[in-house]
Amino acid sequence: MLYTQPPAVEVYSGDPFSSPCRAIVVPIAQDEGGRPRPELDREGRLAESISLELFKGDVGNLLEVTFEGKVVIYAGVGKGELEQVRRGAAAGTKKGGDKGDCLYLHLSHLSREAASEALLASLLASYKLDHFRSSRESKVKKILVGREDLDLKKISSIAEGVYLARDVANVPPHELPPARLAEKVTELFKGVAEVEVFDFQRLLREGFGGIVNVGMGSEEKPVLIVARYRGAEGRPVALVGKTVVFDSGGINLKPSDSIVYMRSDKAGGAAVLGIIWSAARMGLRLNLVGLVPAVINVPSGTSYLPSDVIRMWDGTRVEINNTDAEGRLIIGDAIAYAAKALEAEEIIDLATLTGAIVVALGPLMAGLFTRDARLREALLSSSARTGEKLWHMPLEDDYRPWLTKNALLGDVANSAPSRAGAAIYAALFLERFAHGKPYAHLDIAGPGMAYEASGIAPAYWPDKNLAPGYGVRLILDYLMSRG
Ligand code: BES
Ligand code: ZN
Ligand code: ZN
């Protein structure tokens, strides 16, 4: 993997108390009456805590008991719904992770589905990015599970994709400028998926005006990474991910308060890379292509300028009235390329596109913009299943006149005339580039960056406001329901 790797998972069929791990995590659900159901309770200490009402089994409730040299962590999972199980198991894992690098996860009393989700959440909760510190943090390296019917390959593959997405979204900008990101991805994907990199010269030659213009202000020139996984014949499903390695706003420079978050303006592309990785490792029977346009948006003598009119890959002339509305330019090119050159069957983009969607939906939910009823229903049910929150937003036709309102010279302007409806404006702008193909746009500016999510994020997200790899589990679930 790039910087981090999920813990290895092994089946351990002996007595949990004789496993080599010091910490044992036990998810505990409540019965119909709301009382926790004891499980793996050797000396009755759990039952005692329950009767004294010291442990209620609510989600996030933890009870730690030391027994025979082991630390048993009972983790409440409420009624045992999947999201509750994920959160409870994750909370238990974070506590258990302090006790050593090995964790025994007790799952025998759960349904297969709940056990799978508990394990996945435990893997996700073990994520730590310490590559940029001068000393290593303690980490869980191995998780043992006491049952044999789980699809460990699938669960680990999903965790790997999320880890990859988190790594890419969180690394500091100068660690992975566009060309270096492309190199690293090429290296990593060897034997897993095919990677083709369009360098700056090729982007210029082939008329990718959106990517070229946004990226040319930096010494580190832009690239388009194309990652293909052919698990089936036929036309591909295209996944497009906004990958702004750093978004300073460009000549329309952002204010200082929240600019550090813009290291994660690559969360969309990060998710696409994670999805392709996991899909390939799982061997999904689908033809997938990931399009990852990577740029750095900074002001300089070679930057694109407000009032420039640029020519996009599909010929659309876009008038730049704000260089900070850059994401739609780079993914507009990639979406059009997917629609026309790759003849994709359908196109889904993930993009940390607008501050407006964060104002509307907050840091935990993404906005879904699509006119396609099948995509809408399928993506919303994947959202419900995975707990990656998605809210359907309107592509309101009566706002379409805004697209041309500020275009004095070009066909359309890149930025809305005011802050009103700015996320809808961006979605209407992007839709043009799909050229009538089934298309869904996910504005993930909130959960992609975990913008202001500290204190309310689920326990399986990383601590400290790091990007959670939003979208990987959601889109994989969608793809699995499709394939
Ligand atoms: N990357 C930002 C979107 C963003 C802003 C994400 C705040 C998370 C928090 C995007 O490129 C941007 O700057 N959008 C502008 C668009 C505006 C200039 C039309 C915005 O939303 O303010
Ligand atoms: Zn911007
Ligand atoms: Zn941006």
Side-chain angles (χ1 to χ4, degrees):
M1 305 297 296
L2 273 192
Y3 300 88
T4 64
Q5 197 161 318
V9 183
E10 282 171 25
V11 174
Y12 182 85
S13 16
D15 179 357
F17 288 91
S18 36
S19 94
C21 307
R22 199 165 117 74
I24 302 176
V25 175
V26 189
I28 298 290
Q30 299 161 335
D31 62 20
E32 290 72 35
R35 268 179 79 82
R37 281 199 199 98
E39 179 66 33
L40 206 71
D41 189 15
R42 282 287 158 96
E43 287 180 325
R45 304 265 296 277
L46 173 60
E48 187 184 56
S49 300
I50 292 170
S51 65
L52 292 171
E53 298 200 1
L54 293 171
F55 180 77
K56 296 203 164 115
D58 295 330
V59 178
N61 241 194
L62 298 174
L63 175 70
E64 186 178 319
V65 172
T66 312
F67 176 81
E68 280 185 4
K70 302 284 183 194
V71 184
V72 186
I73 295 152
Y74 299 101
V77 299
K79 293 195 200 76
E81 289 163 10
L82 289 185
E83 180 62 12
Q84 296 180 310
V85 169
R86 281 190 285 264
R87 292 179 182 204
T93 298
K94 280 187 171 167
K95 187 152 188 119
D98 299 343
K99 322 286 177 204
D101 61 2
C102 171
L103 201 83
Y104 179 91
L105 191 57
H106 187 68
L107 300 172
S108 59
H109 55 304
L110 302 181
S111 73
R112 183 167 182 265
E113 193 181 23
S116 302
E117 291 301 314
L119 173 56
L120 178 56
S122 182
L123 291 170
L124 298 184
S126 304
Y127 179 85
K128 282 184 184 169
L129 183 55
D130 61 6
H131 185 264
F132 302 95
R133 296 192 208 285
S134 46
S135 60
R136 302 280 81 93
E137 291 171 25
S138 64
K139 279 189 279 287
V140 176
K141 299 211 174 78
K142 190 189 283 183
I143 295 178
L144 301 183
V145 292
R147 61 191 285 171
E148 294 171 6
D149 61 337
L150 304 182
D151 189 344
L152 299 186
K153 169 88 180 161
K154 174 178 160 186
I155 297 165
S156 293
S157 299
I158 297 173
E160 285 171 6
V162 177
Y163 270 55
L164 173 59
R166 289 177 176 180
D167 281 357
V168 172
N170 285 313
V171 292
H174 276 120
E175 174 71 12
L176 286 186
R180 189 165 156 72
L181 172 66
E183 268 170 39
K184 284 252 190 189
V185 168
T186 305
E187 183 65 31
L188 180 68
F189 277 48
K190 267 193 190 124
V192 175
E194 224 175 279
V195 177
E196 191 182 357
V197 180
F198 296 18
D199 65 9
F200 188 54
Q201 290 311 316
R202 178 164 180 193
L203 293 171
L204 266 174
R205 204 167 57 234
E206 296 187 13
F208 287 87
I211 303 172
V212 163
N213 275 280
V214 175
M216 72 190 184
S218 173
E219 297 274 312
E220 301 281 1
K221 294 298 183 255
V223 299
L224 172 62
I225 304 170
V226 182
R228 288 187 177 82
Y229 163 65
R230 289 183 70 99
E233 294 303 311
R235 294 186 298 145
V237 173
L239 303 171
V240 176
K242 173 177 171 181
T243 315
V244 179
V245 168
F246 189 77
D247 181 13
S248 72
I251 299 293
N252 293 98
L253 195 64
K254 286 182 182 293
S256 296
D257 49 4
S258 60
I259 203 168
V260 289
Y261 279 102
M262 296 305 146
R263 130 192 96 231
S264 300
D265 208 20
K266 46 185 158 45
V272 167
L273 292 170
I275 294 161
I276 300 283
W277 175 270
S278 300
R281 297 276 286 175
M282 280 192 275
L284 290 192
R285 302 243 283 267
L286 285 169
N287 185 3
L288 296 179
V289 57
L291 293 155
V292 177
V295 303
I296 298 183
N297 185 23
V298 281
S300 83
T302 57
S303 298
Y304 75 139
L305 300 172
S307 79
D308 266 343
V309 178
I310 70 170
R311 186 180 188 281
M312 300 285 283
W313 182 84
D314 72 352
T316 305
R317 304 305 208 281
V318 178
E319 187 158 333
I320 306 304
N321 49 0
N322 194 323
T323 60
D324 197 9
E326 82 297 339
R328 60 201 73 181
L329 302 171
I330 67 167
I331 63 173
D333 268 356
I335 291 166
Y337 189 78
K340 298 197 120 176
L342 304 177
E343 295 184 337
E345 185 174 340
E346 65 185 43
I347 304 165
I348 301 174
D349 83 64
L350 297 104
T352 49
L353 207 66
T354 68
I357 202 72
V358 190
V359 173
L361 300 177
L364 301 178
M365 315 182 74
L368 166 66
F369 295 85
T370 183
R371 289 184 204 269
D372 188 283
R374 183 188 58 81
L375 274 169
R376 183 187 66 230
E377 290 315 312
L379 287 166
L380 291 176
S381 46
S382 289
S383 168
R385 268 197 299 277
T386 57
E388 296 209 296
K389 296 178 198 296
L390 196 55
W391 195 258
H392 185 226
M393 298 288 289
L395 281 159
E396 174 52 58
D397 280 316
D398 283 352
Y399 294 148
R400 294 186 68 84
W402 281 346
L403 295 177
T404 47
K405 195 175 164 194
N406 287 345
L408 274 62
L409 301 170
D411 302 333
V412 290
N414 72 324
S415 154
S418 83
R419 302 182 70 86
I424 303 174
Y425 181 101
L428 288 167
F429 178 94
L430 284 177
E431 191 188 18
R432 295 174 57 101
F433 298 95
H435 294 279
K437 296 271 174 178
Y439 169 60
H441 159 55
L442 275 65
D443 192 337
I444 64 165
M449 297 179 167
Y451 190 84
E452 310 287 352
S454 180
I456 51 169
Y460 51 78
W461 282 21
D463 294 330
K464 292 193 179 162
N465 257 341
L466 285 181
Y470 177 92
V472 175
R473 291 186 302 116
L474 172 76
I475 299 299
L476 282 172
D477 185 90
Y478 165 72
L479 293 174
M480 287 187 277
S481 77
R482 200 178 177 287

